[in-house]
Amino acid sequence: LQVPVPLPLTVAQRGLPVAVVGLLLTVAAGTVVVAQPLLALPRWRRLDDPTAMALGFVVLAVGLALTGLATGLAAYVVATVVWSVGDVLLMGRAYALVSAIAPAHARGAYLAAYGTSWGFAAIIAPLVGTQLLARFGPEATWLGLAGA
């Protein structure tokens, strides 16, 4: 949830037109659609959820780090494609993992708690992202997010 707030601020700080953000968000959405077949690859489907999620987080982290290092449009597009593929790799696995660890009678409650955690993250993320940008700048912010 850090992308929606720090990305436009980072793009503006790097002197690129604000319209670049719209392009990057479109690239992200398009990547999510185009990358869906990755989830059907036999090699991917054979991985257990924790391993698959670890790989997805690595891809996401690489994309976030690339965002911190990007200075031009092409680099931002590449970074966006990479973190978007990471998102695709993580999407269904998180819900499957929550469902798998929940007792059968409490799956709904576990999934509700997981969903609610995203609401809390949506409140906290803009505060954290803007403070990181203000105090440490874009490169350190995105590299820190990648590390996290």
Side-chain angles (χ1 to χ4, degrees):
L1 289 175
Q2 282 297 344
V3 171
V5 173
L7 183 62
L9 297 173
T10 298
V11 166
Q13 282 184 339
R14 296 267 166 85
L16 294 171
V18 117
V20 167
V21 176
L23 173 67
L24 295 176
L25 295 177
T26 301
V27 166
T31 301
V32 167
V33 170
V34 171
Q36 289 298 311
L38 291 174
L39 301 176
L41 293 174
R43 275 190 140 160
W44 183 252
R45 296 181 78 198
R46 281 193 301 265
L47 292 176
D48 60 71
D49 290 335
T51 302
M53 289 183 69
L55 289 171
F57 278 120
V58 167
V59 174
L60 176 64
V62 169
L64 295 175
L66 290 172
T67 301
L69 301 173
T71 55
L73 178 59
Y76 276 110
V77 168
V78 168
T80 300
V81 168
V82 173
W83 56 252
S84 297
V85 169
D87 282 344
V88 167
L89 297 177
L90 290 166
M91 270 184 215
R93 294 289 184 142
Y95 287 99
L97 187 59
V98 170
S99 183
I101 64 173
H105 70 280
R107 283 197 182 115
Y110 274 59
L111 289 167
Y114 179 72
T116 301
S117 73
W118 282 90
F120 289 118
I123 294 168
I124 296 167
L127 296 171
V128 171
T130 55
Q131 290 303 308
L132 289 172
L133 277 173
R135 293 176 189 210
F136 303 108
E139 186 173 311
T141 295
W142 290 96
L143 292 175
L145 294 172

